């Protein structure tokens, strides 16, 4: 009877070791797959992970220790897709023309590509890079107005991030609010539309 108990204990211990090892190995596997496309579903949102290669021009790999806000941007490139913009960020590692990136890009069909993990800083919002998540939005024309698909994904993504990081409406800002830059243009040109967006969250 005693021996059996000992064997059982050993068995349980063995199983625990296996489970723990598999867990650690599993986590490692995910983090090393940063260049592959993975699809995640968060609160009914489909988010495609296409993390950039770590490089000084678009993904520094520097830690983002706390998240105090979300900054909304527009791409300033009418008609370009989320994938186009993601590829532009990625190619900066070879072109070295500028340093820019964003955690998320929302496309014209409402698709969402995540370029940077949320525990790393992106290069989008100047002196607020250190404590905010950035979202770039695609737009069909020069007015910078988001179409319905992009707008709705932005609402859902911001709402999901607000609840994850315990943020309120005052923490959701435009790039304009950081630097005075006309970004996102439509929400700078029409402040009432920005108010409407904030009130919809
Ligand atoms: Zn911007």
């Amino acid at each position: 009877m005693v021996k059996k108990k000992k064997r059982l204990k050993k068995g349980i211990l063995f199983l625990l070791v296996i489970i723990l090892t598999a867990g650690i190995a599993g986590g490692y596997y995910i983090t090393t797959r940063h260049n592959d496309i993975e699809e995640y579903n968060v609160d009914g949102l489909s988010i495609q992970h296409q993390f950039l290669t770590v490089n000084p021009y678009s993904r520094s790999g520097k830690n983002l220790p706390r998240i105090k806000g979300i900054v909304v941007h527009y791409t300033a490139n009418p008609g370009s897709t989320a994938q186009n913009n993601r590829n532009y960020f990625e190619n900066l590692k070879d072109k070295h023309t500028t340093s820019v990136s964003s955690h998320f890009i929302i496309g014209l069909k409402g698709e969402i590509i995540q370029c940077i993990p949320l525990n790393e800083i992106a290069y989008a919002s100047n002196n607020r890079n250190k404590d905010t998540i950035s979202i770039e939005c695609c737009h069909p024309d020069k007015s910078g107005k988001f179409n319905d698909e992009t707008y709705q994904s932005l609402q859902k993504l911001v709402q999901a991030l607000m609840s994850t990081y315990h943020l309120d409406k005052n923490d959701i800002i435009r790039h304009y609010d950081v630097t005075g830059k006309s970004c996102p243009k439509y929400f700078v040109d029409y402040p009432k539309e920005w108010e409407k967006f904030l009130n919809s969250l």
Side-chain angles (χ1 to χ4, degrees):
M1 219 25 208
V2 176
K3 262 194 176 174
K4 250 189 186 174
K5 259 191 184 171
K6 261 195 178 169
R7 228 182 269 158
L8 195 70
K9 265 190 183 172
K10 266 191 184 171
I12 289 169
L13 206 69
F14 182 66
L15 255 177
L16 269 173
V17 169
I18 293 282
I19 290 166
L20 278 172
T21 313
I24 292 162
Y28 183 68
Y29 179 66
I30 294 291
T31 54
T32 53
R33 283 192 61 192
H34 60 271
N35 284 327
D36 293 349
I37 297 174
E38 294 177 38
E39 194 92 17
Y40 285 82
N41 285 292
V42 183
D43 293 336
L45 272 181
S46 177
I47 297 174
Q48 224 183 68
H49 280 187
Q50 287 191 49
F51 294 152
L52 305 177
T53 308
V54 176
N55 77 93
Y57 297 88
S58 47
R59 184 183 168 194
S60 66
K62 279 183 196 155
N63 190 30
L64 176 61
R66 63 212 148 106
I67 290 164
K68 286 184 160 181
I70 299 169
V71 185
V72 177
H73 302 260
Y74 87 132
T75 63
N77 192 356
S80 64
T81 65
Q83 190 66 57
N84 293 153
N85 286 281
R86 186 267 171 200
N87 294 345
Y88 171 73
F89 293 154
E90 175 68 12
N91 290 336
L92 290 174
K93 74 179 193 300
D94 305 315
K95 292 190 171 164
H96 305 183
T97 41
T98 185
S99 295
V100 67
S101 58
S102 179
H103 288 100
F104 295 98
I105 308 166
I106 304 180
L108 298 168
K109 291 176 182 161
E111 74 277 22
I112 303 173
I113 296 180
Q114 187 178 350
C115 305
I116 311 259
L118 295 177
N119 59 356
E120 290 181 25
I121 65 161
Y123 289 153
S125 311
N126 307 80
N127 64 3
R128 292 302 304 275
N129 286 337
K130 62 180 188 297
D131 65 355
T132 58
I133 294 170
S134 46
I135 305 174
E136 283 278 358
C137 298
C138 294
H139 51 100
D141 58 50
K142 277 186 182 168
S143 74
K145 188 178 182 184
F146 305 153
N147 69 25
D148 290 348
E149 288 87 343
T150 307
Y151 193 95
Q152 281 159 19
S153 287
L154 178 65
Q155 279 175 317
K156 286 187 205 161
L157 179 60
V158 170
Q159 280 166 342
L161 293 169
M162 281 171 77
S163 71
T164 305
Y165 295 101
H166 308 291
L167 302 171
D168 64 39
K169 283 180 203 169
N170 297 321
D171 304 317
I172 316 308
I173 57 173
R174 301 163 295 182
H175 192 184
Y176 170 80
D177 300 310
V178 183
T179 63
K181 185 183 176 182
S182 180
C183 175
K185 182 176 166 26
Y186 187 78
F187 284 146
V188 175
D189 290 346
Y190 300 94
K192 278 195 178 155
E193 291 298 320
W194 176 244
E195 280 301 311
K196 210 163 105 183
F197 173 73
L198 290 180
N199 289 330
S200 75
L201 299 172

